[in-house]
Amino acid sequence: MRKAFKYRLDPTKKQEQKLFWTLARCRELYNAALSEWKDAYQQHERTQLLVNTETGQVIVAMMVANKRVRKVSYYEQKRDLPQIKDLREEYNDIHSQVLQDVLLRLKRAFDGFFRRLEQGQDPGFPRFQGQSRYNSFTYPQAGGFSITHDNRVCLSKIGSIKVKFHRPIEGTPKTCTIKYEAGQWYVVFSCEVEQPKPLPMVESEVGIDLGITHFAALSDGTFIESPRYYRKAEKTLTRRQQAVSRKKPGSHRRKKAGKLVGKAHRKIAHQRRDFHHKAARKLVQQHQTIVLEELQITNISKRAKPKQGENGTYLSNGAAAKSGLNKSILDAGWGQFQAIVSHKAECAGRTVLLVDPKYTSQVCSQCGTVRKKDLDERWHSCDCGAELDRDTNAAINILRLGRSQRDRKVA
Ligand SMILES: [Zn+2]
């Protein structure tokens, strides 16, 4: 099984220059290789077109054929690499496997393009990559890089760069990708790790309502709270965002302030991810079956904006009421949390069920009566005598829905 480990890099000024330089050369190679594909593709297309429509006009088709129409292949381009190095000596300063990987990326882009064409779709032609889009290069084999004992990564043709190992790396590193993201350099190791053993079976099943007051309410009546440091980090973010807007556009100070905003964003994202991992691990250890609300875009956009696949929009119960809240933070969070829970459950031999969240907070979990509530009504009390937290009530309904969905499938 492959697992990715991502760390911050701390290059020296000189190393950073080399990283930027390498990235620029890779991008240049990518675009050059793409233009070769593009020419071939267009000529190929034209030949077919002329032959098909203008029957008998062999001469025209011959003219096109004279341009030596041929299909480009990854392997041919790979064979051309030494020649490129002769023409452009600076390419000798980049590890050859890194260059091969650039061509491989392009091949994958075209594989996807042709696959979609065959499926009758109308895919966009693979695009030329601008500076901001093309932001990484990869050492595809262990020979090109190594991790040293003093917490550095040694990259062929670049040198040894300090890595901030905030968590230990596991397994055997197979590939190493260097990435530039929001003003920071990162290294991502893809490691071969052993498939984790499934956890011993447990009886427990749980329904989970992801919410605002609590991060999550569980059907057993407990809650998972959002960590306090969120709020602190968010305050810092707001303050820094305001600082940016006070600086003159285009000024050096504004740029500097913008960098701080990026830093605050990264910190929040990192903390959130960490918290999600911990919460998910605990859930998966304790429960055999975990039932969550379905966060699918199709499900959601139907109610918010028809047919507009607005990314990550999440409206559960009381769509209108919730849409006014600070969604973006919740959206990013819930989708990620669900993905992490699903992944961990799969590795541990646990089951995750997703159910339609409709009405889960309105229906009484004890008698099934619909009891409409406003969003600020935090308590569920029903004529049948049910008295419980609104979100706990929803979580119990979610669990019930999950069970009945499973039973239906079995039957
Ligand atoms: Zn009731």
Side-chain angles (χ1 to χ4, degrees):
M1 201 182 93
R2 283 294 181 91
K3 199 170 168 184
F5 293 87
K6 184 176 177 183
Y7 303 103
R8 279 263 299 275
L9 279 177
D10 189 13
T12 62
K13 272 260 144 37
K14 212 173 159 196
Q15 285 172 332
E16 186 170 36
Q17 271 173 14
K18 186 72 196 266
L19 292 175
F20 275 127
W21 181 86
T22 305
L23 195 55
R25 292 292 80 71
C26 287
R27 185 166 54 89
E28 192 185 3
L29 176 64
Y30 184 95
N31 287 336
L34 172 59
S35 91
E36 193 187 356
W37 277 84
K38 202 166 185 168
D39 288 349
Y41 181 78
Q42 281 168 348
Q43 288 176 11
H44 181 64
E45 201 178 42
R46 210 180 319 157
T47 315
Q48 278 186 332
L49 196 79
L50 288 172
V51 172
N52 285 345
T53 57
E54 297 175 43
T55 38
Q57 296 196 7
V58 187
I59 309 150
V60 186
M62 290 271 287
M63 274 172 64
V64 179
N66 266 341
K67 286 185 185 170
R68 263 181 262 142
V69 177
R70 63 184 178 97
K71 250 194 142 174
V72 189
S73 85
Y74 159 66
Y75 298 97
E76 268 177 53
Q77 288 196 325
K78 202 166 114 175
R79 274 199 299 274
D80 285 345
L81 277 177
Q83 226 177 319
I84 293 172
K85 285 182 181 175
D86 283 344
L87 290 168
R88 295 277 303 272
E89 275 184 14
E90 66 265 40
Y91 275 95
N92 287 303
D93 282 339
I94 300 174
H95 190 62
S96 55
Q97 287 170 359
V98 170
L99 297 175
Q100 287 170 18
D101 181 75
V102 171
L103 299 177
L104 192 61
R105 287 182 187 196
L106 185 66
K107 177 190 183 295
R108 288 197 193 112
F110 272 98
D111 284 348
F113 172 72
F114 287 122
R115 196 180 51 240
R116 286 193 290 276
L117 265 188
E118 273 165 30
Q119 286 166 356
Q121 298 172 26
D122 185 22
F125 200 83
R127 283 203 267 173
F128 287 103
Q129 301 287 303
Q131 217 166 348
S132 55
R133 279 174 65 92
Y134 202 92
N135 67 349
S136 70
F137 57 90
T138 298
Y139 289 84
Q141 284 176 36
F145 68 96
S146 61
I147 301 169
T148 61
H149 292 292
D150 53 348
N151 292 336
R152 288 166 166 273
V153 61
C154 190
L155 303 172
S156 172
K157 306 271 184 180
I158 290 177
S160 126
I161 303 175
K162 221 198 261 169
V163 185
K164 292 185 173 168
F165 284 100
H166 64 279
R167 63 168 173 148
I169 191 164
E170 294 162 28
T172 317
K174 292 289 181 188
T175 74
C176 165
T177 297
I178 306 297
K179 208 167 187 175
Y180 185 68
E181 250 175 18
Q184 281 293 337
W185 288 96
Y186 296 90
V187 58
V188 184
F189 297 106
S190 171
C191 298
E192 187 65 40
V193 295
E194 265 181 54
Q195 185 89 33
K197 289 193 188 89
L199 293 170
M201 291 268 278
V202 287
E203 290 287 306
S204 174
E205 300 185 321
V206 71
I208 296 169
D209 177 63
L210 297 176
I212 295 144
T213 322
H214 312 281
F215 173 72
L218 276 56
S219 54
D220 61 9
T222 59
F223 299 99
I224 303 173
E225 305 297 346
S226 293
R228 250 163 213 283
Y229 49 69
Y230 270 18
R231 191 140 303 171
K232 203 176 144 199
E234 271 160 27
K235 264 188 199 153
T236 310
L237 177 62
T238 318
R239 205 177 56 234
R240 287 183 182 174
Q241 276 166 337
Q242 285 162 351
V244 171
S245 57
R246 282 197 300 269
K247 309 274 187 297
K248 215 162 88 191
S251 67
H252 177 63
R253 283 161 164 248
R254 186 165 173 125
K255 217 172 150 188
K256 234 170 129 181
K259 270 193 175 171
L260 284 175
V261 169
K263 212 173 156 185
H265 269 300
R266 278 198 300 280
K267 187 165 180 183
I268 291 177
H270 183 255
Q271 284 178 340
R272 181 167 50 214
R273 199 177 174 78
D274 197 52
F275 163 65
H276 286 167
H277 269 284
K278 279 182 186 144
R281 195 176 305 134
K282 218 169 142 188
L283 283 172
V284 167
Q285 269 166 2
Q286 289 175 347
H287 306 283
Q288 189 63 35
T289 304
I290 298 162
V291 189
L292 291 159
E293 298 167 290
E294 181 135 41
L295 297 181
Q296 258 180 18
I297 316 294
T298 47
N299 207 6
I300 298 143
S301 51
K302 239 185 276 167
R303 291 213 251 156
K305 279 182 198 162
K307 286 204 170 172
Q308 208 200 344
E310 203 180 319
N311 224 344
T313 314
Y314 175 62
L315 301 167
S316 100
N317 19 53
K322 256 187 194 176
S323 63
L325 295 162
N326 194 344
K327 287 187 292 127
S328 63
I329 289 170
L330 296 170
D331 295 344
W334 289 341
Q336 176 177 283
F337 180 67
Q338 187 170 299
I340 292 173
V341 170
S342 299
H343 178 73
K344 285 197 194 304
E346 199 183 322
C347 292
R350 304 290 205 224
T351 308
V352 170
L353 299 172
L354 301 177
V355 299
D356 187 347
K358 229 191 275 172
Y359 309 126
T360 47
S361 68
Q362 311 291 341
V363 172
C364 174
S365 60
Q366 290 192 18
C367 69
T369 321
V370 175
R371 257 213 21 67
K372 284 223 156 121
K373 292 185 220 41
D374 287 332
L375 193 69
D376 56 357
E377 243 181 289
R378 302 305 318 157
W379 195 253
H380 173 86
S381 76
C382 179
D383 295 339
C384 74
E387 292 287 335
L388 68 169
D389 184 279
R390 167 211 179 92
D391 297 338
T392 307
N393 181 63
I396 297 171
N397 283 329
I398 288 168
L399 176 58
R400 186 177 44 79
L401 283 170
R403 282 177 174 154
S404 69
Q405 186 189 74
R406 181 184 52 198
D407 296 346
R408 258 204 316 279
K409 265 188 197 148
V410 171

